[in-house]
Amino acid sequence: MDFLIKPLEETVFSFEDITALLHAAFLERLNQGLCFTTSRMSASDFQKSAEGGTVLVAFIPETSVLLGTGMIHLRKDETGVCYADLEHKGVLPSVKRIGVGSALEKELQLIGASKGAQYLVSDTAIKARSSIRFHLNNGYFKWLFVSFPSTDYYSVVFRKQVSSNMRPDNLPLITFHYYLSFIRTILTKKKDGSRRKWISLIRK
C-alpha cells in the first residue's frame, strides 16, 4: 500500500479526524481493560495537547484515507538536556502490520534528532504487549516503570538515544535502572498513581 506522511497542517485532516482514528486504534486496549488517556481524548483535548508540538499523519493521497498518526514534543529533562517525547501514536486497525506505524515512528524519530533531541522517550501500558514489542523493535529500551495518576495501569517508559554527542548507553546500568524503578513503584504506588497506605502511615 502506498501512503504519504506529512505534518497535520499540510493536509486536509482535522483534529476531529485524528481523534476518531485514535479512538478506533485504541479500542483494542479498551477491550483489554486498559483505558489509555488517548482513547478518551476529545478533539479539543488533542488540539490542546498538540500545542508546541508536531503532529504527523499517514494517509492514502488518492482517497484521503487517514491511516495513522503520531505526535512529538521537544522538552528538557532535569539536567537541561533536550529530548523528544513521542506520544499519541496510533494506526487504523485494518492496516496494522503493513508498516504504517514503523514509518510514522521513523519520521518522528528523524524530526526529534533534527531538532536537537539527545534522546527519545515514549510510554505504554505494561500489559500492552504488542506496543512493548513495537518499541523494542524500533530501538528503544525499557527505562522506567511508573504509575501515572491519570491511568489505571502500570506503565513502561522507553528511551532511545539519537545523538552521537552523548556517551553510548550502558545497557547493564539501564537494566538496573529499570528494575530499581520497578521495585520502587510496586512498593510505593498503586496502579492509579496513588500512594500505598503504608507510605501514608510513615509520613504521619
Side-chain angles (χ1 to χ4, degrees):
M1 179 185 296
D2 294 328
F3 58 88
L4 295 178
I5 296 177
K6 289 187 176 183
L8 176 61
E9 63 270 19
E10 296 179 14
T11 72
V12 299
F13 301 107
S14 65
F15 288 109
E16 286 77 10
D17 296 326
I18 300 297
T19 51
L21 179 142
L22 288 172
H23 291 170
F26 281 81
L27 181 60
E28 174 188 0
R29 302 304 178 202
L30 282 175
N31 292 336
Q32 287 182 267
L34 301 172
C35 187
F36 277 66
T37 303
T38 304
S39 66
R40 58 179 186 269
M41 292 180 77
S42 66
S44 59
D45 290 335
F46 186 88
Q47 184 173 6
K48 185 176 180 180
S49 71
E51 292 177 0
T54 300
V55 179
L56 295 184
V57 292
F59 62 99
I60 302 173
E62 295 82 5
T63 60
S64 293
V65 173
L66 185 60
L67 303 178
T69 188
M71 182 191 298
I72 183 170
H73 280 89
L74 292 183
R75 309 188 192 281
K76 287 190 176 181
D77 63 19
E78 64 278 2
T79 65
V81 172
C82 178
Y83 71 94
D85 187 4
L86 280 63
E87 51 193 336
H88 304 314
K89 298 180 287 187
V91 173
L92 198 66
S94 60
V95 296
K96 283 187 175 181
R97 298 178 182 86
I98 65 167
V100 176
S102 294
L104 277 165
E105 179 70 36
K106 182 179 179 180
E107 290 300 317
L108 289 167
Q109 292 190 17
L110 287 172
I111 289 173
S114 68
K115 291 189 175 183
Q118 302 295 295
Y119 61 93
L120 315 170
V121 297
S122 183
D123 66 80
T124 192
I126 189 66
K127 292 185 177 180
R129 295 181 181 178
S130 61
S131 180
I132 289 176
R133 287 196 303 271
F134 176 84
H135 283 87
L136 294 175
N137 290 338
N138 279 279
Y140 289 89
F141 54 77
K142 294 179 181 179
W143 176 242
L144 288 170
F145 185 88
V146 297
S147 178
F148 295 118
S150 59
T151 64
D152 58 353
Y153 50 79
Y154 290 114
S155 297
V156 180
V157 177
F158 293 88
R159 172 172 164 156
K160 178 179 179 179
Q161 183 176 315
V162 291
S163 172
S164 59
N165 295 326
M166 291 182 70
R167 186 170 59 184
D169 292 315
N170 184 316
L171 186 56
L173 182 60
I174 290 164
T175 302
F176 175 77
H177 184 271
Y178 173 74
Y179 283 108
L180 184 63
S181 70
F182 177 90
I183 294 169
R184 183 172 60 246
T185 299
I186 290 294
L187 288 176
T188 61
K189 291 187 177 181
K190 299 178 182 179
K191 293 180 180 180
D192 62 358
S194 61
R195 292 184 179 276
R196 293 194 180 277
K197 288 184 178 180
W198 73 270
I199 295 294
S200 299
L201 291 173
I202 289 176
R203 289 180 175 273
K204 286 183 179 180

